[in-house]
Amino acid sequence: MELEMKDKLQEECGVFAMYDKDGFDVAQITYAGLFALQHRGQQSAGIAVNKDREITLHKDNGLVQEVFSKDILNNLKGTMAIGHVRYSADGEQSVLNAQPMVSRYIKGQIAVAINGTLTNFKELKQNLEQDGAIFQTTSETETIMHLLARARKNTGRVETALVEVMKQIRGAYALVMMSPQKLIACRDPKGMKPLCLGKIDNSYVLASETCALDTVRAEFIREIEPGEVVVIDKDGLRSIKDNCQDHKKAKMCIFEYLYFARSDSIIENMSVHVARKQTGKILSETYPVDADIVAAVPDSGIDAAIGYAEAAGIPYAKALVINRYVGRTFIQPTQEQRTTAVRLKINVIKETVKDKKIVLVDDSIVRGTTCAKLVSMLKEAGAKEVHMRISAPPFIWPCYFGTDIPSKEHLLACNHTVDEICEMIGADSLGFMPVERLHEIVPNINCGFCDGCFTGKYPYDHE
Amino acid sequence: MELEMKDKLQEECGVFAMYDKDGFDVAQITYAGLFALQHRGQQSAGIAVNKDREITLHKDNGLVQEVFSKDILNNLKGTMAIGHVRYSADGEQSVLNAQPMVSRYIKGQIAVAINGTLTNFKELKQNLEQDGAIFQTTSETETIMHLLARARKNTGRVETALVEVMKQIRGAYALVMMSPQKLIACRDPKGMKPLCLGKIDNSYVLASETCALDTVRAEFIREIEPGEVVVIDKDGLRSIKDNCQDHKKAKMCIFEYLYFARSDSIIENMSVHVARKQTGKILSETYPVDADIVAAVPDSGIDAAIGYAEAAGIPYAKALVINRYVGRTFIQPTQEQRTTAVRLKINVIKETVKDKKIVLVDDSIVRGTTCAKLVSMLKEAGAKEVHMRISAPPFIWPCYFGTDIPSKEHLLACNHTVDEICEMIGADSLGFMPVERLHEIVPNINCGFCDGCFTGKYPYDHE
Amino acid sequence: MELEMKDKLQEECGVFAMYDKDGFDVAQITYAGLFALQHRGQQSAGIAVNKDREITLHKDNGLVQEVFSKDILNNLKGTMAIGHVRYSADGEQSVLNAQPMVSRYIKGQIAVAINGTLTNFKELKQNLEQDGAIFQTTSETETIMHLLARARKNTGRVETALVEVMKQIRGAYALVMMSPQKLIACRDPKGMKPLCLGKIDNSYVLASETCALDTVRAEFIREIEPGEVVVIDKDGLRSIKDNCQDHKKAKMCIFEYLYFARSDSIIENMSVHVARKQTGKILSETYPVDADIVAAVPDSGIDAAIGYAEAAGIPYAKALVINRYVGRTFIQPTQEQRTTAVRLKINVIKETVKDKKIVLVDDSIVRGTTCAKLVSMLKEAGAKEVHMRISAPPFIWPCYFGTDIPSKEHLLACNHTVDEICEMIGADSLGFMPVERLHEIVPNINCGFCDGCFTGKYPYDHE
Amino acid sequence: MELEMKDKLQEECGVFAMYDKDGFDVAQITYAGLFALQHRGQQSAGIAVNKDREITLHKDNGLVQEVFSKDILNNLKGTMAIGHVRYSADGEQSVLNAQPMVSRYIKGQIAVAINGTLTNFKELKQNLEQDGAIFQTTSETETIMHLLARARKNTGRVETALVEVMKQIRGAYALVMMSPQKLIACRDPKGMKPLCLGKIDNSYVLASETCALDTVRAEFIREIEPGEVVVIDKDGLRSIKDNCQDHKKAKMCIFEYLYFARSDSIIENMSVHVARKQTGKILSETYPVDADIVAAVPDSGIDAAIGYAEAAGIPYAKALVINRYVGRTFIQPTQEQRTTAVRLKINVIKETVKDKKIVLVDDSIVRGTTCAKLVSMLKEAGAKEVHMRISAPPFIWPCYFGTDIPSKEHLLACNHTVDEICEMIGADSLGFMPVERLHEIVPNINCGFCDGCFTGKYPYDHE
């Protein structure tokens, strides 16, 4: 996933927040939390802190550790913080669109950061423009700040304004924000994006995934409920459930389990790693092979491959080695395709694959080029057979809620049958995770899930 | 290995070279080759190219992809190249010490790059100083260039001078160099450092490890023999074996298999991955446990853990997750040890380890702090037992040939029994690879090996 | 002036704009224009271009030549451009406050850049906040964009909205802006900030000073009139004079002549260099000295010193040499004041001053420390007498229109008589430009001038 | 001079050194000293300090203030320092060639920095190569270090070795060096390059020009004599005059007065500013004009213009304004020559020149393009006549001693008569400083001077 291959899908952001009651360094802890969420967005990072009602912000394009230096962190003092890592689905790379966003309105400063997508974004914006609003970015966060400022005119409290705004916006989101005196968070009423609550001593933290809680040694308390608004201030935490619906009917994005989330996270009571192992088991049941070894495409296929190997009773083996030093400044090869990008990143262990029948597991096929290259490298190294197993079903529908799926003409599965794809990638067989068994990979989940990108059925209407 | 934890040992460098006969872009290919050897040295990188007898050099501190931009590579045109990645054992970080080094002597320019250490370095330098030599760096490469320049006065050819210099120097080394018209390479007579020869069409390449040959799609031809000097020029390749001894008696550094080399490399006819898997098998035979799962410390313990699991018939499982985004600019946590460096880099998958008896495999224990932290994290997450298995024997002797082993007071194994270490790291049992079975992990090796860091017996005398 | 000594006063910005009809590279020309205006603001620089109704912006902290590279300029293609250089009076250094600012409102994008200050800024902002507006910066430009967006709801054209907004805002400003199809510019009704119109072939340019017209080889057409709105689009240029008042009664900031503007500029028909020479003449009449030479503090006192020398018939001499290499990264001396900052920047030519009676001319005394240091250096070098002459009157009142004058406690002239100051700086005599003769330095000016910082009488009320 | 126009000539370096006895921060003072010598070389800068016999070096390409940060300076602790600023005549831009150079030889470390050129460089190098020496740079400094190391074998003291080396080398140079315990300096026996001695309290400093002494507030003691070796150690300063010749017969480079040196420096008892004023006086006598004003090309012609104006009794005026913000990153105009580089840097003050007969003074004409442009700008602005006066004679011979004069085909004066040049630059008349009166500009000089670039007569033979 960290390879930033063009064959990979992208998520839109992670959030972290903290309200300190113990004298912790909130910026330092938010930095560590964002670092744990780096896989959710590598384009920009930002932290806003609140000290005595004044908000200070630092954000920039780059990885968390590129954006923040020791000096910068030391200048971010306060008792509350919100942080954000971002992937931009719309290709808009301007740092103006980085989050958190901070603005001043009638009641002082607010800072807002969102992981999510509004399906009625255009409509909201047009209404605001007709009312004289100006937009300095293309970010949905700015739109939400406009709505908050307007709602605030008629309400006594910022959290009431947020409850009001949630009624106007539609989509999938997890939001954290600071007013001069409060840290506030909410999830969309369908609960499509994850957001959990933790505690360090007497201080609350919020994070997109539990791996960030583990990293900062916070105790996991609970998920924020779908539609819930949580307000944390000097008097403690309280909850507003005006927009809440039945938690059981919420629709967590299934892609969090298959792809986005870190495998050590637990989302809606379900371990991501266990879900992925489960896909391996289901794949081994659905498409059994008389193979010598099961191997993973590193690192994306490892969890499912371990699950496949265990379920099938076939040894798990290391067939492919990844070069960990590939970074964003790596110069792509140009000379007559002699050395391809894939070969620079991944090599075969010949001794593992020579004369072997291999099950090769990955989490997705997007364009198929990487996959084809790997199969051919394995065959070149002497593999007798390569059976490709993919732990997600084929993408054939767009996502309106934040996943940056390529357009149909670039999606292999939209234009080809499984047999055609199998031939194109040169595998001896190919099996995708069956859509109808997706529910089996998340047995303990608290709620339902959205599998719109596989089925075309979505929890919200969209434009 | 890529984590640069202080608990890790360090190698001293990798080399790559190419003599083009097909019109390839030698700098581009050397760049890709060095990138594949990046694990051998992350401190500096350099490439020298030779065009029409004039040598151009670019080198700097940093990773390969940091040191070279597209523009820089495009300016490195030529028909020969040598490249180098460096780890500095002596802590000398000046870019002056980066390699390759280029100098002009009586016969024009020479460029030299070495992976290795001379045990009679001080003596050689003193002799040269008494003869009026000046030293602008602390590098052994500069000393070798001095010796070459002096030897060249009395010999008709540069390769004859090199053969002469090899008689004066003592130590472990793999060297590549360019004269105005020739690409030359050699290994020390004991063959302690690896160097292999490959071919792309009609063009020769040389590399510290075969993984670099794979990356540039070169065909593996053979190892350079211990003591051999190979000369490549417009008339092809020829070999000078004046300094060669019996290849079978050579002493390849065993640490290449246990630690330094990439697991997809083959050194002296022996697969590094297979050698590592073999350590797992031997550990499972020597210290059997009735465990539920076998897990690796990522990524250093993976090969051995797979070998252990397979040999013991216990499922291989993913218990620890590594954060791939840790880089050199990461800000270490300072605040009251709340979040330790280890926790930022590695997290436990609780579902995997809860109520389980675990075999945890790593490749070494240096200071023991990381190891202790990991055991404690596993226990916190509910592991019933943690049995630590280390795929290398304990280091108890210094290395005089380039491995940067901490001084005795920092080496846990020098000051404590295995039982004491086991208690210190909090494991339920601890087993190191038995020294006397090391030969079993390299069954196909062409030669002998040096295990001086475990036994105190070295192939060369030293100061 | 370019020395950024703390003893110096600071202006707030310069603007440049172009509407192309000849196929010129508008970004390149705007870059050259801003470069000529660099003395008006060194904190940030920005250029926005309009291509087919879409606006692209690049801005950053730094000098013009630091902010723009060749690649960046090449990516700024369009047929209109506005540019800005900025000095931040409020100390707010965030790049968010850099100009131009671009936002999207109901009618598409607008870009706005201002040189100036609104005296009713707070009041305007409060009104907007009560109406639900959010502010992402502390810039007056953002406030004006809010007002434009609101005014635009009720008006058919953007220029009509601007005329409307000009009625709401109070202060001194020169503004340039782009709508999707028009380039628009205006000056405040009192005409306190300069803005002139030029032409290159059939293309119009606008600039704060004529030196920018000269630099891009534009022909000077005329000043924008106080209160005038100029609209340039595909149909040519037209003027809206709804807010115009009698040009003769306008109040150009006298400080432009004394201090801010480049001496090769002509403002309101009056050459800045001639005005400065004139101060020298008046000083020589008011405070005659029987001196051997007249010398300038480089470079700020040169024009007036030449005027003094010519009027008094005393030779103009070079007594002080400036080190041109002083830049922003220069490390200030700390060691026991051994070497002061002044001495690093300026040295005395002993042969010029030894045994001489010297008239030393500068344009201002703010804190007096530099001045005292220079007098002492001259005396040390053997000067018999040093008679200080200052081409501006003493500052004793605040400026509400953009000049960043230190607060009263730091203004020497607020707390001391001329005699006291003379003693403090160690001069043999001291003469300031008499306030009552200021009108004599601008004989050809088209209008009146504001000398509020010397007299406390301002053209507008202020908060 | 600071404009780095291609029309400008270049010097080769400046040196500074300090031996501390008072507890000063030697790096800080050397930094200030080099900053004062920045005009002698803008390509690279370096400082080496000696603390307890160990030398630490920092050098890099760039201006003094770019190369050194506060942190870097703070890490350069010691009781001796030598520093260097460099212009590279040979176009070799590698930082390896930056100075000072540090090397280790039989007696420990030495650091050497030179301003100068050896005319027997090739021959010296060939001899060394035949003796087995290797060269890592193309710098003459490295060659001198080789010679010192060899001479040191047979001599008891480093200064004796230096005296010996001076007998082997031929050319123009000022050298500063540090051995483990001594600071040593020397000038070539003909005294072609300047080097002076100063004192701060009990600590000695050495500098290429007295302006650096002034900047660090050192008292000027004396010039180092031609051929003299000065040794400073814990016992104080002593002098070795074995290579000294008659000081009166020394041949200081006349170009230091005309061009290179800062006008506030005094070289061999002669003020640079006074020498330059003198050229103006001579020009006014030789080529009198009935002009209205005398103006300078800023900044290079100012001293001579003031001299001309004073001698001719014509008012000195400011006709041209320079844009001080031009730096190395400035993007040159490309678009159809609309805006030329000269116009971006210099503008005319129309009010000064309109309908005036002007004498325009500069220090040299190299290619003539800038000059032609300025004359045309003055005429465009309404100048009636422009009479060009050049304070140096025409260059028609090469310099073998360090001045980077373009080859003959680029030197206007080599290929054209004065009348032709006058026509080419469009002036109404043109007068160069007469060679035969050069001696008049340095009436107080201690010695003779070299005017080889004007006469072809040189003090040393050359290759």
Side-chain angles (χ1 to χ4, degrees), chain C residues 174-337:
Chain C
L175 175 155
V176 291
M177 62 176 286
M178 295 189 292
S179 73
Q181 301 189 77
K182 297 168 189 166
L183 179 67
I184 305 170
C186 69
R187 279 173 77 197
D188 70 87
K190 294 283 185 195
M192 296 179 73
K193 298 284 175 186
L195 185 63
C196 63
L197 180 72
K199 220 169 171 185
I200 313 177
D201 296 356
N202 296 303
S203 303
Y204 284 103
V205 296
L206 292 144
S208 289
E209 294 183 31
T210 59
C211 67
L213 300 189
D214 294 343
T215 296
V216 303
R217 303 197 63 182
E219 182 195 356
F220 171 79
I221 304 293
R222 63 174 179 89
E223 312 275 336
I224 302 303
E225 282 183 45
E228 180 183 7
V229 171
V230 156
V231 183
I232 306 168
D233 61 14
K234 65 177 169 35
D235 301 322
L237 179 148
R238 68 186 177 280
S239 177
I240 305 173
K241 303 206 172 178
D242 296 17
N243 293 318
C244 284
Q245 303 179 1
D246 184 356
H247 195 154
K248 292 252 171 283
K249 295 192 179 154
K251 297 288 189 188
M252 172 54 57
C253 169
I254 193 71
F255 232 58
E256 293 283 350
Y257 299 100
L258 292 170
Y259 201 100
F260 293 144
R262 243 171 67 171
S263 55
D264 50 334
S265 286
I266 296 165
I267 296 177
E268 291 285 6
N269 201 41
M270 181 68 220
S271 155
V272 173
H273 172 67
V274 171
R276 287 178 191 167
K277 271 190 72 177
Q278 204 64 12
T279 61
K281 179 167 175 283
I282 293 170
L283 285 167
S284 85
E285 293 165 6
T286 319
Y287 314 102
V289 195
D290 176 26
D292 300 308
I293 56 169
V294 176
V297 175
D299 292 329
S300 45
I302 289 176
D303 302 80
I306 289 174
Y308 194 112
E310 198 180 310
I314 301 172
Y316 174 79
K318 185 170 164 185
L320 298 169
V321 179
I322 202 165
N323 187 332
R324 296 286 173 209
Y325 296 99
V326 176
R328 280 173 303 176
T329 56
F330 189 79
I331 302 166
Q332 296 299 330
T334 54
Q335 202 193 17
E336 305 149 353
Q337 260 52 33

Side-chain angles (χ1 to χ4, degrees), chain A residues 162-428:
Chain A
L162 178 58
V163 169
E164 193 50 44
V165 169
M166 286 172 75
K167 293 187 201 303
Q168 300 169 42
I169 63 180
R170 220 167 46 218
Y173 55 85
L175 175 155
V176 291
M177 61 176 285
M178 295 188 293
S179 73
Q181 301 189 78
K182 298 168 190 168
L183 179 68
I184 305 171
C186 69
R187 276 174 78 199
D188 71 87
K190 294 283 183 194
M192 295 179 73
K193 299 284 175 186
L195 185 63
C196 63
L197 180 72
K199 222 170 169 182
I200 313 177
D201 296 357
N202 296 304
S203 303
Y204 284 103
V205 295
L206 292 143
S208 290
E209 294 183 31
T210 59
C211 67
L213 300 189
D214 294 343
T215 296
V216 303
R217 302 196 64 181
E219 181 195 357
F220 171 79
I221 304 294
R222 63 173 178 91
E223 311 275 334
I224 303 305
E225 282 183 44
E228 180 182 7
V229 171
V230 156
V231 183
I232 307 168
D233 62 14
K234 65 178 168 33
D235 301 322
L237 179 148
R238 68 186 176 283
S239 179
I240 306 173
K241 303 208 174 178
D242 296 17
N243 293 316
C244 284
Q245 304 178 0
D246 184 356
H247 196 156
K248 292 256 173 279
K249 294 195 179 151
K251 298 288 189 188
M252 173 53 59
C253 169
I254 192 70
F255 231 58
E256 293 283 349
Y257 299 100
L258 292 171
Y259 201 101
F260 292 145
R262 243 171 67 171
S263 57
D264 50 334
S265 285
I266 296 165
I267 296 177
E268 291 286 4
N269 201 41
M270 181 67 222
S271 154
V272 173
H273 172 66
V274 170
R276 287 177 190 168
K277 270 189 72 176
Q278 205 65 12
T279 61
K281 179 166 174 287
I282 293 170
L283 285 168
S284 85
E285 294 165 6
T286 318
Y287 314 102
V289 195
D290 176 26
D292 300 309
I293 56 170
V294 176
V297 175
D299 290 331
S300 45
I302 290 176
D303 303 80
I306 290 175
Y308 193 112
E310 196 180 313
I314 301 172
Y316 173 80
K318 184 170 165 185
L320 298 170
V321 180
I322 203 163
N323 187 331
R324 296 285 173 212
Y325 297 99
V326 176
R328 280 174 303 177
T329 56
F330 189 78
I331 301 167
Q332 295 299 330
T334 53
Q335 204 194 15
E336 307 148 352
Q337 258 53 34
R338 169 103 228 150
T339 307
T340 63
V342 173
R343 194 173 283 273
L344 281 165
K345 291 168 190 164
I346 295 186
N347 195 16
V348 177
I349 298 183
K350 295 185 199 74
E351 286 66 24
T352 303
V353 305
K354 184 130 198 264
D355 298 326
K356 295 280 169 53
K357 294 188 206 164
I358 302 167
V359 171
L360 183 66
V361 183
D362 203 355
D363 62 358
S364 57
I365 292 184
V366 182
R367 292 160 207 246
T369 46
T370 300
C371 196
K373 188 74 205 151
L374 295 176
V375 172
S376 117
M377 284 167 71
L378 289 169
K379 294 263 171 134
E380 240 179 76
K384 228 190 302 183
E385 295 174 12
V386 179
H387 300 273
M388 195 81 209
R389 297 294 176 266
I390 304 298
S391 60
F395 311 108
I396 40 183
W397 295 92
C399 174
Y400 299 96
F401 306 98
T403 304
D404 186 20
I405 296 180
S407 56
K408 291 210 167 191
E409 64 270 27
H410 292 119
L411 281 174
L412 214 56
C414 283
N415 304 296
H416 297 282
T417 64
V418 170
D419 282 354
E420 284 170 356
I421 298 173
C422 183
E423 203 186 319
M424 289 165 78
I425 63 174
D428 293 281

